């Protein structure tokens, strides 16, 4: 990954494998952890005392992972270089009382998570995945990756105005998926999952479950220069950040401590114990400083020299809606990662951050682009401003340009994930 080439098929193939294997944030962090362990990283428990030794380490909490590599000879005030990302994507999530139905149809009660494009979940074959909590307090990942659920759209014969007036969906009445016929039986869904997992009846005490499209990621286009798939926002960045951190951990000399911080709950505000607006990142970085014998003064010095690249997807210019974009900023697929700018601090990038990102791309030989919103359109946000404000860390917002953001199935250039990963390697190397 040190000499980037246009369209590295191996990296893109691996991304598609990662997307397919990560239908929930819990699966995403488990897959990232497995890759880090193969690269020599070891998991630490938050309840144990941490040692001062060099090497790769990581902490898992729910749908979040913080991983870092301490080089030999690192001082207590050695600054960090952080790649920030998030593991969650907008979708449909199972309610506490999931068994429902009407008119002889058995259905699953779901709640809308994040700002999902509701229509993209209609008439798709859907699976079910997430985390089960057992009565002994342990967790079990579950993934029913077959056609189990479906949200059926109303036939055009019963909604003659749908193509002229637009589709109107009520989040409560129209988005409950069906999964069979017959009378509603309380406890059916969880009993089904217990059977799927070989668990005893009544062993599951809690659950965090969500639906996913079972259609696998695929190349698209005449020349296969595009990739279509689920959860690109923002598993593209989680995958690239994991690969970059593993690559940098093999370097002989580093002046910084490289970090991957992949949070949950970005899509609904980041305010949780596993979100970017929680204490997880700050606690991990501080404990790393103190484990190396540092003081609060060392912590302050380390944070003052730290830089974070908040890597999240952004908008490629849409050929059918180009008027929705800024007229002079048109990020294109396979044009390289984008620098995201908003002077109202929806993104954390400033001029000095631009210089940091440009230098990393130059060292990696990676082209890059700039995104800014049309003044007449509202701008989304990321973990970037949260990280900057909460920890006083200099933060830059970047990412890969995609189409169909927040759809059940998104689209990006097949080159761009690889180009992002190379830019991240150059950044983490310092």
């Amino acid at each position: 990954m040190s000499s980037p080439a246009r369209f590295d098929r191996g990296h893109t193939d691996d991304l598609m494998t990662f997307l397919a294997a990560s239908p929930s944030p819990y699966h995403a962090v488990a897959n990232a952890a497995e890759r880090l362990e193969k690269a020599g990283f070891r998991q630490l428990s938050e309840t144990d005392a941490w040692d001062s030794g060099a090497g790769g380490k990581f902490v898992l909490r729910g749908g979040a992972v913080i991983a870092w590599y301490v080089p030999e000879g690192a001082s207590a005030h050695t600054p960090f270089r952080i790649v920030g990302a998030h593991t969650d994507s907008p979708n449909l999530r199972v309610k506490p009382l999931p068994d429902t139905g009407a008119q002889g149809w058995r259905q699953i009660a779901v709640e809308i998570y994040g700002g999902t494009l509701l229509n993209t979940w209609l008439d798709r074959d859907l699976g079910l995945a997430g985390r089960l909590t057992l009565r002994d307090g342990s967790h079990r990942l579950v993934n029913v990756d077959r056609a189990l659920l479906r949200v059926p759209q109303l036939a055009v014969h019963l909604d003659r105005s749908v193509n002229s007036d637009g589709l109107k969906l009520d989040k409560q009445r129209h988005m409950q998926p069906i999964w069979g016929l017959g009378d509603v039986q309380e406890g059916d869904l969880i009993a089904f999952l217990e059977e799927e997992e070989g668990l005893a009846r009544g062993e599951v005490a809690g659950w965090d479950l969500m639906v996913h499209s079972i259609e696998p990621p695929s190349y698209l286009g005449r020349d296969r220069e595009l990739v279509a798939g689920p959860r690109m926002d923002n598993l593209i960045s989680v995958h690239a950040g994991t690969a970059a951190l593993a690559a940098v951990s093999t370097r002989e000399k580093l002046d910084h401590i490289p970090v991957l911080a992949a949070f949950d709950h970005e899509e609904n505000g980041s305010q949780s114990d596993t979100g970017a607006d929680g204490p997880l990142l700050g606690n991990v970085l501080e404990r790393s400083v103190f484990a190396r014998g540092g003081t609060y003064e060392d912590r302050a010095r380390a944070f003052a020299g730290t830089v974070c690249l908040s890597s999240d997807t952004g908008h490629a210019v849409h050929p059918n809606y180009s008027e929705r974009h800024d007229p002079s900023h048109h990020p294109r697929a396979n044009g390289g990662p984008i620098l995201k700018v908003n002077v109202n601090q929806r993104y954390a990038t400033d001029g000095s951050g631009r210089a940091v990102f440009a230098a990393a791309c130059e060292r990696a030989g990676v082209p890059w682009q700039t995104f800014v919103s049309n003044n007449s359109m509202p701008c989304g946000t990321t973990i970037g401003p949260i990280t900057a404000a909460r920890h006083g860390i200099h933060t830059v917002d970047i990412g890969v340009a995609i189409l169909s953001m927040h759809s059940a199935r998104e689209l990006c250039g097949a080159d761009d994930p690889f180009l992002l990963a190379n830019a991240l390697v150059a950044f983490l190397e310092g």
Side-chain angles (χ1 to χ4, degrees):
M1 222 164 53
S2 60
S3 56
R6 297 292 292 174
F7 189 57
D8 182 271
R9 183 60 58 91
H11 182 89
T12 308
D13 288 346
D14 190 61
L15 168 64
M16 292 196 290
T17 299
F18 187 82
L19 292 172
S22 304
S24 78
Y26 313 108
H27 290 82
V29 299
N31 290 323
E34 181 180 2
R35 290 160 182 253
L36 290 168
E37 286 180 334
K38 289 180 179 178
F41 285 66
R42 59 188 175 89
Q43 183 175 354
L44 301 182
S45 170
E46 291 187 81
T47 59
D48 291 342
W50 292 359
D51 64 75
S52 60
K57 310 171 187 186
F58 67 90
V59 167
L60 300 181
R61 184 193 289 184
V65 56
I66 311 292
W68 65 104
Y69 180 81
V70 180
E72 290 286 350
S75 68
H77 59 265
T78 298
F80 302 93
R81 286 229 160 186
I82 304 169
V83 171
H86 67 88
T87 61
D88 59 320
S89 299
N91 56 18
L92 313 179
R93 302 210 172 185
V94 176
K95 288 185 175 181
L97 300 176
D99 301 291
T100 187
Q103 307 301 324
W105 296 95
R106 297 168 67 197
Q107 295 174 277
I108 302 301
V110 296
E111 190 172 5
I112 309 302
Y113 179 84
T116 188
L117 285 169
L118 296 178
N119 64 294
T120 67
W121 293 94
L122 302 179
D123 296 332
R124 287 186 184 271
D125 295 336
L126 303 172
L128 189 66
R131 180 180 69 172
L132 302 174
T133 302
L134 308 187
R135 292 199 175 277
D136 63 3
S138 64
H139 296 116
R140 177 80 65 90
L141 296 184
V142 60
N143 181 12
V144 183
D145 196 32
R146 63 178 188 272
L148 181 68
L149 307 165
R150 188 178 179 91
V151 183
Q153 187 171 187
L154 186 64
V156 68
H157 313 78
L158 304 177
D159 187 7
R160 295 288 185 179
S161 64
V162 64
N163 290 325
S164 58
D165 297 342
L167 179 65
K168 297 178 176 61
L169 294 171
D170 183 278
K171 293 179 180 179
Q172 180 63 37
R173 293 185 294 121
H174 299 151
M175 297 305 299
Q176 310 306 311
I178 62 171
W179 76 310
L181 298 171
D183 297 331
V184 177
Q185 299 291 328
E186 185 177 349
D188 262 6
L189 178 64
I190 300 307
F192 163 75
L193 293 175
E194 289 171 332
E195 184 177 354
E196 284 282 307
E197 290 298 305
L199 298 169
R201 187 69 179 263
E203 194 169 348
V204 172
W207 51 89
D208 301 280
L209 299 168
M210 58 209 70
V211 308
H212 66 275
S213 172
I214 64 170
E215 184 180 4
S218 63
Y219 291 106
L220 184 143
R222 185 196 66 182
D223 298 320
R224 292 160 56 88
E225 72 268 49
L226 301 170
V227 173
R231 300 175 293 280
M232 290 183 172
D233 179 10
N234 184 35
L235 295 189
I236 285 178
S237 297
V238 176
H239 174 262
T242 302
L245 181 60
V248 169
S249 71
T250 65
R251 305 299 193 257
E252 291 185 0
K253 181 174 176 56
L254 292 169
D255 294 328
H256 300 76
I257 296 173
V259 179
L260 169 67
F263 301 100
D264 201 354
H265 302 132
E266 189 273 346
E267 297 294 355
N268 61 9
S270 295
Q271 291 185 325
S272 71
D273 69 323
T274 53
D277 204 18
L280 181 58
L281 177 61
N283 286 349
V284 168
L285 299 184
E286 287 179 352
R287 291 186 67 178
S288 175
V289 170
F290 298 151
R292 297 192 305 278
T295 63
Y296 183 82
E297 180 72 10
D298 293 310
R299 179 260 188 214
R301 291 174 66 187
F303 276 42
T306 293
V307 183
C308 173
L309 286 191
S310 164
S311 181
D312 202 347
T313 56
H315 302 296
V317 62
H318 198 300
N320 299 335
Y321 301 92
S322 59
E323 74 281 358
R324 303 294 182 97
H325 299 264
D326 183 84
S328 58
H329 295 78
H330 281 177
R332 299 179 183 274
N334 289 336
I338 57 174
L339 179 74
K340 301 161 74 171
V341 179
N342 181 267
V343 296
N344 294 303
Q345 293 302 297
R346 301 294 286 173
Y347 304 132
T349 305
D350 62 10
S352 58
R354 182 185 191 277
V356 169
F357 179 61
C361 290
E362 182 178 354
R363 287 195 300 273
V366 168
W368 60 279
Q369 312 175 81
T370 304
F371 172 83
V372 65
S373 289
N374 185 309
N375 286 332
S376 299
M377 304 292 296
C379 181
T381 191
T382 68
I383 66 166
I386 294 171
T387 302
R390 182 171 183 85
H391 305 294
I393 288 173
H394 188 202
T395 303
V396 189
D397 272 296
I398 67 161
V400 164
I402 69 171
L403 292 182
S404 306
M405 187 183 293
H406 288 195
S407 169
R409 194 168 177 84
E410 297 161 325
L411 183 72
C412 77
D415 294 1
D416 285 330
F418 179 63
L419 296 174
L420 172 67
N422 278 277
L424 296 183
V425 168
F427 166 74
L428 289 178
E429 287 176 333

